[in-house]
Amino acid sequence: MIGCGGSGKTTLARELGKRLGLPVVHGDFLGRCGDARAQGSEWAALHAEVIGREAWILDAMRLGTLDERLARADTAVFLDLPRRACYAGVVLRRLRHRGRTDAATGVADRVNLEFLLWIWRFRRRVRPRLLALVARHAATTDVVVLRSRADADRFLVSRARTRPGPGSAA
């Protein structure tokens, strides 16, 4: 699950995992113990362990490890929503969770100026690199691009009908 902050990656990953019976891992919570979060090589090692499993859904938007993830995944879901939809998603998350971080649900409600600027710059700075990485794996990884929340809802309905077999990853 890849896309800009506020696009709905966590929600879609959680719901898809429930419907398909696949384990969901939230990248923000890899190695989390109390308030400590894994960083750098520690996060990369935990990421490698997750994508080495037989089946998984990983909600993570880290370009540094995306190439490895795409090499192992049979499907990549890119939530390519407009900036305004991502900001709306952040506002709704803020209203729903009021700044709390919940490892059980995968919700990390942290909003600061750096995060808001990252969303603002995503289409110009991050999206082209993300698309290049996805294109590099197009022969072996099915890429699903969802451009609205309605697209995400339709995707969930369609995927709920087809359960993955052994060795599948999302």
Side-chain angles (χ1 to χ4, degrees), residues 75-86:
T75 304
V77 178
F78 175 26
L79 288 155
D80 192 18
L81 275 62
R83 181 186 296 146
R84 68 183 175 282
C86 294

Side-chain angles (χ1 to χ4, degrees), residues 66-103:
L66 182 57
D67 196 48
E68 297 167 44
R69 198 158 51 253
L70 291 170
R72 284 277 305 136
D74 66 9
T75 304
V77 178
F78 175 26
L79 288 155
D80 192 18
L81 275 62
R83 181 186 296 146
R84 68 183 175 282
C86 294
Y87 279 128
V90 169
V91 169
L92 290 173
R93 180 172 61 204
R94 172 55 54 152
L95 292 172
R96 211 173 20 250
H97 298 285
R98 295 182 179 84
R100 293 183 316 264
T101 299
D102 184 353

Side-chain angles (χ1 to χ4, degrees), residues 21-41:
L22 290 174
V24 177
V25 178
H26 303 286
D28 284 344
F29 295 102
L30 278 179
R32 191 173 181 94
C33 179
D35 287 333
R37 290 180 14 177
Q39 298 293 325
S41 61

Side-chain angles (χ1 to χ4, degrees), residues 45-64:
L46 292 167
H47 172 266
E49 186 272 320
V50 169
I51 66 172
R53 297 176 187 167
E54 185 174 326
W56 43 268
I57 297 174
L58 182 56
D59 157 26
M61 189 50 240
R62 295 198 182 193
L63 287 179

Side-chain angles (χ1 to χ4, degrees), residues 1-4 9 27-28 43-44 47 51 58-71 78 118 121-137:
M1 212 56 67
I2 52 180
C4 186
K9 295 182 304 294
D28 284 344
W43 192 93
H47 172 266
I51 66 172
L58 182 56
D59 157 26
M61 189 50 240
R62 295 198 182 193
L63 287 179
T65 54
L66 182 57
D67 196 48
E68 297 167 44
R69 198 158 51 253
L70 291 170
F78 175 26
W118 183 78
R121 297 172 180 149
F122 183 86
R123 287 192 88 66
R124 186 172 24 97
R125 291 188 180 174
V126 179
R127 186 175 180 269
R129 294 177 13 222
L130 186 151
L131 291 172
L133 285 167
V134 166
R136 188 175 2 191
H137 294 276

